[in-house]
Amino acid sequence: MLKRFVMALCAVALMAGAAQARTIHFASDATWPPMEMLDAEKNVVGFCPEVVRAMAKAGGFEADIKSTAWDGIFAGLAAGKYDVIASSVSITEERKRAMDFSDPYFEVKQGVVVRAGSDIKSFADLSGKTVGAQIGTSGYFTAKKAEGATPKSYDEVGLAIEDLFNGRLDAVICDDAVAADFALTNPNYSGKLALAFLIVPEKPEYLGFAVKKGNREVIEILNASLKAVRESGEYDRIFKKWFPTN
Amino acid sequence: MSHRKHVTIDIGDGAAIPRKRDIGLFSAWWLAFIGAIAIIVYLCSVSPEPYLRILKFIPDGVLVTFEVTVLSILLSLVLGLITGLGRLSKNRAFNLIASTYVEVVRGIPLLVQLFYIYYALGRLEIFSNLPPLAAAVIAMGICYGAYMGEVFRAGIEAIDKGQTEAARSLGFDSRQTMFLVILPQAWRTILPPVGNEFIALLKDSSLVSILAVADLLRRGREFASESFYYFEAYTMVALVYLVITLVLSKAVSHMEARLHYYDRD
């Protein structure tokens, strides 16, 4: 009786396995609106998750997106806790040494958020000011490059924005879309914070999906499905939904 | 310290009891201390990239960790003494306030207290200019003050009632009795657990990195997040914390040994 039961279980498991498409696990630091964030039901939503879900549909795989703290997100990838980081990761030379990237899916600039009425108008104005950013992001690397400024690293960009709002920081640097979201559309901050200016990089900065070094298989799936999503016009539809002003 | 070596037996009123010598603890301490230093030196000499670079990156973080720890300890000692006396006070209001403080603070995790004092209260006008270091010290001082209060209370309660009675019959008032007779004696009982609290506080000071305070842990994290040397950075951070706490625990046990010199064990 037991034997038959176990065999039946095995058969069910096998069939389920065969029927199920391959699942790719994505990690996302969902504290980065409107790129990726949590909605009221704790689902990961935003521009990037929506692109990923469209890619899954086009590429025939299951996308499992888990909210993961930024600090340690790269260590988790190296440890094999998930296959892909889909979390507004800029493609940089330093990061390319530690991980592989998909084709770019977004172009970013760094945006500088200040309190409304601030006299910070240019990158040079940051001298002598305290500038916050999220630890390990291109925003923080930019803050460290500002001459004469005191950079401060936060666990989350939201905490830096809160400190800016409370008057302990003079500016926060983060991706332009995120900066615009906090300064212009966030009901808690709009009118009190302002997007001072964008920092134009020497060469364009792109976001990509990061995978463990050498994981060609997943890279190929990602690139093929991203291409399909772009060609079908789905990408543009999602872009317009999340960035209606552009 | 050298005089201590000669005294192996104390002769008092009772039977002669050989003095306890903490050989086990002594050697465990040296094993950990020399081991940690040796590993740091070994790692830095064998692969200076990245270990030596990490070691050079974190010293200002060590200073901030010290700063937070020392200031928090001072604040928590003051709060602890007041709370301990309050818990023993016959003054009902004082007693109730002290007891409520202990109950409330012990029921809220330190990390939550840090968030609350810095980010939540930061919304209020008067707290909005509170620098992160001050917020960290206030939160840690308040938190550990509650624990210190219990240590002080237990230490004071451990002093024989006869001491109070004797002091009062000699004409000391209750305040003189407490500060001139009871507390100097209680200090011996209090010191070992206070030493433990110091070490726990130093380790917990790593939590203040959440307030963007550039302490030892945050320096390590910044290094790791930019270089992706996670294993190497956190190994070095752990070793440096270990060395600091070992030095602190040695200092505390040194003070204990001095205080107990005249004691019979």
Side-chain angles (χ1 to χ4, degrees):
Chain A
M1 178 62 198
L2 183 70
K3 205 171 171 186
R4 193 180 294 173
F5 180 67
V6 171
M7 276 172 67
L9 260 185
C10 288
V12 168
L14 271 176
M15 271 155 58
Q20 216 166 42
R22 154 160 208 178
T23 304
I24 296 182
H25 299 274
F26 291 78
S28 167
D29 172 25
T31 61
W32 202 235
M35 299 304 284
E36 45 265 327
M37 60 210 176
L38 290 182
D39 67 4
E41 279 82 45
K42 301 187 193 73
N43 302 310
V44 181
V45 296
F47 170 76
C48 178
E50 207 161 323
V51 169
V52 166
R53 289 192 183 107
M55 283 163 60
K57 213 184 231 174
F61 61 89
E62 289 276 336
D64 167 45
I65 308 176
K66 278 225 172 60
S67 172
T68 309
W70 178 258
D71 190 37
I73 204 167
F74 295 112
L77 183 74
K81 288 186 182 145
Y82 29 78
D83 308 303
V84 186
I85 301 173
S87 195
S88 301
V89 180
S90 298
I91 305 171
T92 65
E93 289 307 312
E94 295 82 37
R95 283 177 180 153
K96 271 194 203 160
R97 258 177 260 147
M99 62 198 82
D100 284 340
F101 281 97
S102 71
D103 293 337
Y105 67 86
F106 200 80
E107 185 181 345
V108 281
K109 295 186 182 73
Q110 293 304 310
V112 179
V113 186
V114 295
R115 276 188 303 280
S118 164
D119 54 1
I120 298 172
K121 303 269 186 272
S122 71
F123 197 59
D125 291 343
L126 291 175
S127 177
K129 307 285 193 207
T130 311
V131 183
Q134 183 170 357
I135 186 168
T137 60
S138 28
Y140 186 57
F141 305 148
T142 311
K144 290 217 302 188
K145 280 188 205 130
E147 237 169 280
T150 312
K152 288 186 74 176
S153 71
Y154 288 78
D155 282 33
E156 290 174 20
V157 68
L159 295 178
I161 292 283
E162 181 69 17
D163 249 12
L164 172 70
F165 179 77
N166 287 338
R168 289 159 172 148
L169 287 178
D170 300 305
V172 170
I173 304 182
C174 55
D175 287 3
D176 53 351
V178 180
D181 189 84
F182 275 120
L184 306 175
T185 53
N186 189 305
N188 291 321
Y189 303 121
S190 66
K192 298 179 181 112
L193 300 182
L195 180 55
F197 58 95
L198 299 182
I199 297 164
V200 183
E202 288 153 26
K203 55 178 186 175
E205 180 179 342
Y206 294 106
L207 305 183
F209 300 108
V211 303
K212 198 173 172 174
K213 195 113 196 118
N215 192 352
R216 291 306 312 167
E217 188 201 344
V218 168
I219 287 270
E220 271 153 29
I221 298 173
L222 293 175
N223 285 345
S225 56
L226 180 62
K227 196 164 171 244
V229 168
R230 278 191 194 278
E231 280 169 0
S232 70
E234 185 71 1
Y235 182 94
D236 294 330
R237 190 192 65 75
I238 298 170
F239 189 94
K240 279 208 185 74
K241 177 180 165 191
W242 290 96
F243 308 104
T245 48
N246 289 33
Chain B
M1 273 313 280
S2 61
H3 51 271
R4 203 182 152 203
K5 284 185 185 139
H6 303 295
V7 186
T8 48
I9 294 174
D10 284 306
I11 298 167
D13 298 335
I17 304 161
R19 189 169 186 85
K20 260 192 268 168
R21 311 191 85 195
D22 44 3
I23 303 264
L25 192 72
F26 185 76
S27 52
W29 188 90
W30 280 106
L31 190 66
F33 186 72
I34 294 177
I37 298 279
I39 293 172
I40 292 175
V41 172
Y42 173 79
L43 290 175
C44 288
S45 56
V46 170
S47 62
E49 170 67 31
Y51 285 106
L52 191 61
R53 198 148 65 87
I54 298 165
L55 202 60
K56 284 181 182 160
F57 190 79
I58 53 183
D60 56 338
V62 176
L63 275 182
V64 172
T65 289
F66 264 124
E67 209 173 344
V68 171
T69 306
V70 169
L71 293 174
S72 309
I73 282 172
L74 294 178
L75 179 60
S76 71
L77 280 177
V78 173
L79 286 174
L81 180 61
I82 296 171
T83 313
L85 293 176
R87 298 268 277 170
L88 294 166
S89 172
K90 290 199 182 71
N91 180 331
R92 280 227 177 138
F94 187 22
N95 194 315
L96 189 68
I97 293 169
S99 302
T100 312
Y101 161 61
V102 172
E103 294 299 339
V104 169
V105 168
R106 280 200 310 195
I108 302 171
L110 177 55
L111 187 58
V112 178
Q113 292 179 30
L114 283 165
F115 263 111
Y116 195 83
I117 288 180
Y118 189 68
Y119 290 111
L121 292 186
R123 279 269 166 155
L124 306 177
E125 194 71 39
I126 45 165
F127 289 104
S128 64
N129 284 323
L130 194 66
L133 192 80
V137 168
I138 290 170
M140 297 208 52
I142 287 178
C143 181
Y144 274 82
Y147 295 100
M148 292 291 191
E150 291 299 274
V151 170
F152 275 95
R153 181 174 68 93
I156 293 166
E157 276 180 335
I159 301 299
D160 195 287
K161 220 178 162 212
Q163 294 290 326
T164 311
E165 286 162 2
R168 295 307 295 271
S169 59
L170 283 170
F172 287 99
D173 65 26
S174 61
R175 183 172 300 170
Q176 285 171 322
T177 305
M178 181 56 75
F179 285 96
L180 299 176
V181 180
I182 307 298
L183 275 177
Q185 298 185 72
W187 184 237
R188 290 188 197 180
T189 335
I190 291 171
L191 190 65
V194 163
N196 284 339
E197 297 290 324
F198 283 2
I199 291 162
L201 194 152
L202 195 149
K203 289 185 290 180
D204 277 355
S205 75
S206 62
L207 294 173
V208 307
S209 70
I210 198 80
L211 309 187
V213 173
D215 74 330
L216 173 51
L217 177 62
R218 178 152 293 271
R219 281 285 176 245
R221 286 168 66 183
E222 280 177 0
F223 188 94
S225 72
E226 286 166 37
S227 64
F228 306 104
Y229 286 120
Y230 286 96
F231 177 82
E232 293 83 350
Y234 292 128
T235 302
M236 201 47 102
V237 166
L239 286 169
V240 172
Y241 269 115
L242 179 61
V243 169
I244 296 172
T245 49
L246 283 170
V247 170
L248 188 64
S249 81
K250 196 69 182 168
V252 170
S253 65
H254 194 81
M255 284 203 310
E256 277 171 33
R258 284 177 64 114
L259 271 180
H260 283 273
Y261 177 55
Y262 297 107
D263 276 7
R264 283 177 292 131
D265 299 87

